[in-house]
Amino acid sequence: MFWLGFQARETDANMDDQARALRELMCLQSVAPASGSLARPKLIIAVSGARGGVGATTVAVNLAVVLARRGLRTALVDADPYSGDIALRCGVQEHCTLADVLSGRRSVREALQGGPGSVLVLPGAWAQEDIAQASSAAQQQFVEQLQGLGDEANCVVVDTGSSPGRLARRLWLAADQVVLVSSAEVASIMGAYGLAKALAAGNKQIVLGLVVNMVADVDQALRVHGRLARACFRFLGLSLGMLGYVPLGEQGGGEGPCQLLVLSQPESAAAQQIQRLADALAAPAK
């Protein structure tokens, strides 16, 4: 009798597991785009920080605002698993977040909210586990939804954070341009190389470019780029372009509030460099 009871409990547990898997699949299918029916954005940009504190989020937010002001319908997506605070920094209420999308409760379209400078914002997940524990199918479905946002946004900027996780790799592979943000500090340069090695090594389709943040001048930025570009080409077989730099001064790092310099201080050196970066990236999309 004990054995029969154990078998029954085991069968019930298996049925529960199957039911949960079926519900997850149905949720994913309910928000899945119809094949071939949705337009792809003209430009998908993944912005990644070499490490925490280099100002990648500041670059991503300001870049998105400039792209919107250049006439591109722009969505800003917070996919940073460790510091998903774009909504807070931009004054957007977190009615729906990336966690809702990954769980299948909402589609990307349903989760987008109005943000600064006419940018549509998808707030980040509330906890690391919301991304880390999401299934590969859920992460891939999320990426595919971004690739089908062309009717709402012809440009998508994604802040992937600085973690070499599965979702970041999927976003790098899906992007038309990966913007790697580093400072001139040795630890940051090493972090940038490590991130490139983890997410892009051996993959020739990834278009990787560098923005050097918080530097004294263009010469220092070029030295950082030269060092990283040589290492990436020699040891990883990757070409690392030089996209631009942001001078040390007004913009600050990644730990303080995100300042929309392109709106509050458009004539500052930092804002002007971000505007040049946006113009260079937007050219193929127009």
Side-chain angles (χ1 to χ4, degrees):
M1 295 294 293
F2 171 79
W3 174 244
L4 291 175
F6 177 79
Q7 282 185 314
R9 288 194 297 273
E10 186 177 37
T11 300
D12 291 342
N14 290 336
M15 291 179 65
D16 289 342
D17 290 341
Q18 293 174 7
R20 280 194 295 270
L22 181 59
R23 284 194 297 270
E24 180 180 357
L25 178 60
M26 292 177 65
C27 286
L28 291 175
Q29 290 176 338
S30 69
V31 297
S35 177
S37 65
L38 298 177
R40 189 186 192 280
K42 294 180 179 179
L43 184 63
I44 299 177
I45 303 169
V47 181
S48 300
R51 62 197 295 261
V54 299
T57 297
T58 299
V59 170
V61 174
N62 282 275
L63 174 62
V65 171
V66 175
L67 289 168
R69 290 171 67 87
R70 296 295 192 264
L72 293 173
R73 301 189 312 277
T74 304
L76 174 63
V77 177
D78 191 344
D80 184 344
Y82 295 101
S83 182
D85 58 356
I86 279 181
L88 176 63
R89 295 182 175 203
C90 295
V92 174
Q93 296 295 319
E94 298 180 65
H95 299 302
C96 295
T97 72
L98 176 58
D100 295 298
V101 176
L102 291 174
S103 69
R105 293 188 296 269
R106 293 288 188 275
S107 68
V108 169
R109 283 180 176 78
E110 293 169 335
L112 288 172
Q113 302 169 48
S118 300
V119 174
L120 296 172
V121 177
L122 174 57
W126 292 310
Q128 299 173 20
E129 292 76 13
D130 292 326
I131 294 178
Q133 295 181 2
S135 68
S136 294
Q139 292 186 6
Q140 184 60 33
Q141 182 64 63
F142 163 64
V143 173
E144 289 175 1
Q145 288 186 57
L146 293 182
Q147 292 174 312
L149 273 181
D151 291 336
E152 284 76 20
N154 49 22
C155 179
V156 177
V157 178
V158 188
D159 181 359
T160 73
S162 57
S163 171
R166 293 177 301 151
L167 181 57
R169 180 170 176 77
R170 293 178 189 275
L171 291 167
W172 276 37
L173 289 170
D176 300 295
Q177 174 73 63
V178 176
V179 177
L180 184 56
V181 181
S182 176
S183 71
E185 295 179 351
V186 173
S188 180
I189 296 172
M190 293 176 63
Y193 174 80
L195 196 62
K197 181 178 180 180
L199 298 182
N203 197 313
K204 304 298 183 181
Q205 75 181 78
I206 291 177
V207 181
L208 186 61
L210 180 69
V211 170
V212 189
N213 195 18
M214 300 181 287
V215 289
D217 51 38
V218 64
D219 291 335
Q220 186 181 28
L222 290 173
R223 288 193 296 271
V224 172
H225 172 258
R227 181 175 178 180
L228 260 175
R230 287 191 295 271
C232 286
F233 183 78
R234 179 178 179 183
F235 299 110
L236 305 178
L238 290 173
S239 176
L240 178 67
M242 180 60 175
L243 293 175
Y245 75 100
V246 183
L248 182 66
E250 306 96 333
Q251 83 282 6
E255 297 178 357
C258 182
Q259 300 178 37
L260 287 173
L261 298 169
V262 295
L263 296 180
S264 63
Q265 303 177 49
E267 301 304 319
S268 66
Q272 290 181 11
Q273 289 300 326
I274 294 175
Q275 291 168 20
R276 291 189 180 96
L277 170 64
D279 290 339
L281 293 174
K286 291 187 174 180

